[in-house]
Amino acid sequence: MDIKECGEFGLIDLIKENCIVEPKSVAVGIGDDAAVLIPTHNMLQLVSADMLVEGVHFDLSFISPFQLGYKSLAVNLSDIAAMGGIPKHVVLSIALPKKINVDFVKELYRGMKNIAQSFCVNIVGGDTVSTHDKIVINVTVLGEVEPEKLQKRNGAKPGDFIVVTGTLGDSAAGLDILLNKKDNFDFAEPLIKAHLMPFPQVELGRIIAKYASSMNDISDGLASEAKEIALASSVDVMLDAGKVPFSTELLQRANFFRKTPLEYALFGGEDYQLLFTISKEKYILLQKELSNCNIKVVGEVKQGTGNVFLKEYNGKFVNLEPKGYNHFR
Amino acid sequence: MDIKECGEFGLIDLIKENCIVEPKSVAVGIGDDAAVLIPTHNMLQLVSADMLVEGVHFDLSFISPFQLGYKSLAVNLSDIAAMGGIPKHVVLSIALPKKINVDFVKELYRGMKNIAQSFCVNIVGGDTVSTHDKIVINVTVLGEVEPEKLQKRNGAKPGDFIVVTGTLGDSAAGLDILLNKKDNFDFAEPLIKAHLMPFPQVELGRIIAKYASSMNDISDGLASEAKEIALASSVDVMLDAGKVPFSTELLQRANFFRKTPLEYALFGGEDYQLLFTISKEKYILLQKELSNCNIKVVGEVKQGTGNVFLKEYNGKFVNLEPKGYNHFR
């Protein structure tokens, strides 16, 4: 059955099930002119949106509808994580070609509901419309954060460490593998998974938010995200190439595409790890609280005017002008 | 200059100005991973989204970019009005072809900012992405409402009046004129304006919300909206053809397209007037408060099971199965 036969209301019925996983904060979910939510007293409200266009942001020849649904929510939850917040609700707008199969739509929503349930996030509304062209998905995420835990980009101070929550470059290498269909997919599976089903670091973000001075999620590559912090905080960020963490899989495969792991990390993007700055004293406290977690200092904050310098493997410093991910590339 | 030369960050700079008109409720606007908002104590939060696709929901051959920007916000503000709420913030996601002219984008945002400012609504964030296809606009609106003023669809009671806030059918007739390019545009101007620049009834909605038992905005035609109230409230709605208010322009021009004013009102859609139910006692109070305002009783609520009946001009009743606006038409 294609979606045209199903109709908008048939589609809403199909979607409506299992959307509310945390009902205490929802007075009215899908089905009225607007959803009605009950905000938590004394919390700030967070809101962010991402639009994904078929052929620009995803390619259905290598992402399944389940993965697409999962990922389109994941990248939004990551934005809330980057503020130190708790994602609470999402609003989903989707433009679908009339001839698309209903099973595709079911799988898309299954992916969305899968990650929404894992993170206790309610799907409270949205819009489903037809298009003559490619699929477009817009996710708006609403979250909450305590005022004292709010993490912005502008709080980095000279002397702070700059730290990442996990290995970088995997996602971009996974994309190269998918685009070129060149590698043995089984061996490269962790890289491909990093690209197709990124894991938003919400839980870590909540802990880090107690100690950090600024935070970003790494959607556009380490260089670009460090630059945003440097500019917003009016400091310089000194990254140390020797300290950037890589996965074994990336180290084994980066060369395949004549790129270095460092290039993938700096300019690749879509890792959705967190990048944050923190005073050296608070870093010790954070390490204690996290114990087994692989956070990694990748550099330091200096007085400056918004530059990002990279200490290369040979010890020389270069000024990085991020040339990474650009929506209008 | 086309948008590709401008780049995403150039575009954000272009957009950023005059976005915050009510700064008290915004801790962080455009420019971080998420906007940070300060909710009003004891208010419920409202959220709604609408996606508009070029070629499906709008046609650039007859809507200007300014009007498109205006309208894409207007339809969302109307959803908040329908809940009895105050629109507070919008989040805008826009997919634009790379070759689109920057002036087009400026005009689009000028239209958005024009209506946002009129209604004291902040533009707090969003996403601007490229597409190989048609323009797609998604607006998510956030609003607030006092719990006691919240209007849902499910509160209509037998004995209530069903009431509209203004003339119906104008917008759909305006669309017919635009599509067929048949009429003298000057004379039909009020109909065309009703279609291209609908006025969301936020202020009226706030007053009505003190008295009404249920409310909807008329986005999909009177028949369809009445049906939603009837179904949600488990009542029947009896509409009286003789009481539906029409503009002089519609009365003069409906015949041009071999339709009656009533057909436009029932099945046309996009009027963005409010449709509400109210007890007869409270209707008297509401009339006193509104004095000069043209609200109009169009029928009555009866015990029932979700049907909408129309009392035709000849006095006969027919059961209306709304055949109006459908996104998957």
Side-chain angles (χ1 to χ4, degrees):
Chain A
M1 184 166 67
D2 70 27
I3 212 170
K4 198 179 170 185
E5 297 168 55
C6 182
E8 192 193 6
F9 294 104
L11 199 66
I12 291 175
D13 285 338
L14 197 120
I15 295 163
K16 251 173 143 169
E17 274 181 10
N18 302 319
C19 282
I20 306 298
V21 289
E22 203 278 291
K24 273 186 302 183
S25 57
V26 182
V28 179
I30 292 174
D32 215 305
D33 288 304
V36 186
L37 310 172
I38 304 160
T40 313
H41 187 47
N42 282 336
M43 297 283 266
L44 292 168
Q45 185 186 328
L46 303 168
V47 57
S48 179
D50 268 300
M51 186 174 262
L52 303 174
V53 179
E54 182 187 349
V56 178
H57 303 97
F58 60 90
D59 181 337
L60 289 176
S61 70
F62 58 70
I63 193 165
S64 74
F66 178 89
Q67 290 165 334
L68 176 61
Y70 177 100
K71 184 172 178 177
S72 53
L73 254 72
V75 304
N76 277 278
L77 302 190
S78 180
D79 281 323
I80 299 299
M83 307 300 286
I86 311 163
K88 300 277 289 181
H89 313 284
V90 289
V91 181
L92 310 173
S93 298
I94 310 187
L96 293 166
K98 282 178 200 179
K99 289 201 169 162
I100 207 161
N101 196 285
V102 168
D103 288 336
F104 179 96
V105 185
K106 281 186 188 168
E107 275 297 290
L108 183 72
Y109 277 95
R110 197 170 67 82
M112 288 173 162
K113 287 176 186 176
N114 179 285
I115 184 168
Q117 282 166 10
S118 312
F119 285 87
C120 250
V121 167
N122 298 310
I123 299 172
V124 293
D127 199 11
T128 313
V129 300
S130 71
T131 173
H132 304 305
D133 293 303
K134 304 286 188 184
I135 296 171
V136 179
I137 299 174
N138 188 80
V139 178
T140 304
V141 59
L142 303 176
E144 289 183 341
V145 66
E146 301 82 354
E148 67 278 12
K149 285 195 188 162
L150 174 65
Q151 290 295 329
K152 299 190 281 182
R153 292 177 183 160
N154 65 359
K157 296 274 177 305
D160 284 357
F161 282 142
I162 183 154
V163 188
V164 294
T165 52
T167 61
L168 300 182
D170 294 348
S171 171
L175 178 60
D176 265 349
I177 292 166
L178 289 165
L179 284 172
N180 291 282
K181 297 183 177 66
K182 267 189 178 170
D183 204 336
N184 181 325
F185 273 35
D186 287 343
F187 282 100
E189 205 253 323
L191 303 181
I192 291 172
K193 195 179 171 197
H195 183 72
L196 296 179
M197 296 188 71
F199 185 80
Q201 299 292 348
V202 173
E203 213 178 319
L204 263 180
R206 291 291 293 158
I207 298 169
I208 293 165
K210 294 194 273 180
Y211 305 101
S213 55
S214 75
M215 190 147 64
N216 237 351
D217 69 326
I218 303 184
S219 51
D220 293 354
L222 176 59
S224 169
E225 305 299 339
K227 181 84 180 177
E228 284 181 356
I229 288 178
L231 281 172
S233 304
S234 301
V235 295
D236 283 355
V237 169
M238 322 299 281
L239 297 173
D240 188 335
K243 292 183 174 169
V244 178
F246 303 116
S247 70
T248 317
E249 289 79 10
L250 181 64
L251 290 167
Q252 285 169 347
R253 276 173 185 73
N255 190 38
F256 209 96
F257 298 103
R258 298 187 183 177
K259 288 179 190 159
T260 64
L262 189 64
E263 282 176 293
Y264 278 118
L266 288 171
F267 308 115
E270 295 215 82
D271 285 309
Y272 299 108
Q273 297 292 339
L274 298 172
L275 176 70
F276 61 97
T277 59
I278 184 169
S279 73
K280 284 163 188 164
E281 300 73 39
K282 290 197 174 164
Y283 183 70
I284 296 167
L285 300 175
L286 174 63
Q287 269 192 313
K288 269 189 199 155
E289 183 164 348
L290 290 178
S291 61
N292 285 324
C293 199
N294 282 328
I295 60 169
K296 188 99 193 310
V297 174
V298 293
E300 212 170 317
V301 178
K302 302 274 183 197
Q303 281 202 317
T305 54
N307 297 297
V308 178
F309 293 96
L310 177 73
K311 186 182 175 187
E312 294 187 319
Y313 297 113
N314 59 17
K316 281 185 187 162
F317 281 91
V318 290
N319 190 341
L320 288 182
E321 264 307 312
K323 51 181 174 176
Y325 187 89
N326 182 329
H327 287 303
F328 284 98
R329 65 193 160 181
Chain B
M1 184 166 66
D2 70 27
I3 212 171
K4 198 179 171 185
E5 298 167 55
C6 181
E8 193 193 5
F9 294 105
L11 199 65
I12 292 176
D13 284 339
L14 196 121
I15 296 164
K16 251 174 145 165
E17 274 180 12
N18 302 319
C19 282
I20 306 297
V21 288
E22 202 279 289
K24 272 186 302 180
S25 58
V26 182
V28 179
I30 292 174
D32 215 305
D33 288 302
V36 185
L37 310 172
I38 304 160
T40 312
H41 187 48
N42 282 337
M43 296 283 264
L44 293 167
Q45 184 185 328
L46 303 167
V47 58
S48 179
D50 268 300
M51 187 175 262
L52 304 174
V53 180
E54 182 186 349
V56 178
H57 303 98
F58 60 91
D59 181 338
L60 290 176
S61 71
F62 58 69
I63 193 165
S64 74
F66 178 89
Q67 290 165 334
L68 177 61
Y70 177 99
K71 184 171 178 177
S72 52
L73 254 72
V75 303
N76 276 278
L77 302 190
S78 179
D79 281 323
I80 299 300
M83 308 298 288
I86 312 162
K88 299 278 289 183
H89 313 284
V90 288
V91 181
L92 311 174
S93 298
I94 310 187
L96 293 166
K98 283 178 201 179
K99 288 199 170 163
I100 207 162
N101 196 284
V102 169
D103 288 336
F104 179 96
V105 184
K106 279 186 189 168
E107 275 297 291
L108 184 72
Y109 277 95
R110 196 170 68 81
M112 288 173 162
K113 288 175 186 177
N114 179 284
I115 184 167
Q117 282 166 11
S118 310
F119 284 88
C120 249
V121 166
N122 298 309
I123 299 171
V124 293
D127 199 10
T128 313
V129 300
S130 71
T131 174
H132 304 306
D133 294 303
K134 304 286 188 185
I135 296 171
V136 179
I137 299 174
N138 188 80
V139 178
T140 304
V141 59
L142 303 175
E144 290 183 339
V145 66
E146 301 83 353
E148 68 278 11
K149 284 194 189 162
L150 174 65
Q151 290 295 329
K152 298 190 281 182
R153 292 176 184 162
N154 65 0
K157 297 275 177 303
D160 283 356
F161 282 142
I162 183 155
V163 188
V164 293
T165 52
T167 61
L168 300 183
D170 293 349
S171 172
L175 177 61
D176 264 350
I177 292 167
L178 289 164
L179 284 172
N180 292 281
K181 296 181 178 68
K182 268 188 175 170
D183 205 335
N184 181 324
F185 273 35
D186 287 343
F187 281 100
E189 205 252 324
L191 304 179
I192 291 171
K193 195 179 171 198
H195 183 72
L196 297 179
M197 296 189 72
F199 185 80
Q201 299 292 348
V202 174
E203 213 178 320
L204 264 180
R206 291 291 293 158
I207 297 169
I208 294 165
K210 294 193 273 180
Y211 305 100
S213 56
S214 74
M215 189 146 65
N216 237 350
D217 69 326
I218 303 183
S219 52
D220 293 354
L222 177 59
S224 171
E225 305 299 339
K227 181 86 179 176
E228 284 181 355
I229 287 177
L231 282 172
S233 303
S234 301
V235 294
D236 283 354
V237 169
M238 321 300 281
L239 296 173
D240 188 336
K243 293 184 174 168
V244 178
F246 304 117
S247 69
T248 319
E249 290 79 10
L250 181 64
L251 290 167
Q252 285 169 346
R253 275 171 186 77
N255 191 37
F256 209 96
F257 298 104
R258 299 188 181 175
K259 289 180 188 160
T260 65
L262 189 65
E263 281 176 294
Y264 279 118
L266 288 171
F267 308 114
E270 297 215 80
D271 284 311
Y272 300 106
Q273 295 293 340
L274 297 172
L275 176 71
F276 61 97
T277 58
I278 184 169
S279 72
K280 285 164 186 163
E281 300 74 37
K282 289 197 174 163
Y283 183 69
I284 297 166
L285 300 175
L286 174 63
Q287 270 192 313
K288 268 190 198 153
E289 183 163 348
L290 291 179
S291 61
N292 286 325
C293 199
N294 282 328
I295 60 169
K296 188 99 195 309
V297 173
V298 293
E300 212 170 316
V301 178
K302 302 273 183 197
Q303 280 201 318
T305 54
N307 297 297
V308 178
F309 293 95
L310 178 73
K311 187 181 175 186
E312 294 186 320
Y313 296 112
N314 59 17
K316 282 186 187 162
F317 280 92
V318 291
N319 189 342
L320 288 182
E321 264 309 309
K323 51 180 173 177
Y325 187 90
N326 181 330
H327 285 302
F328 284 98
R329 64 193 162 183

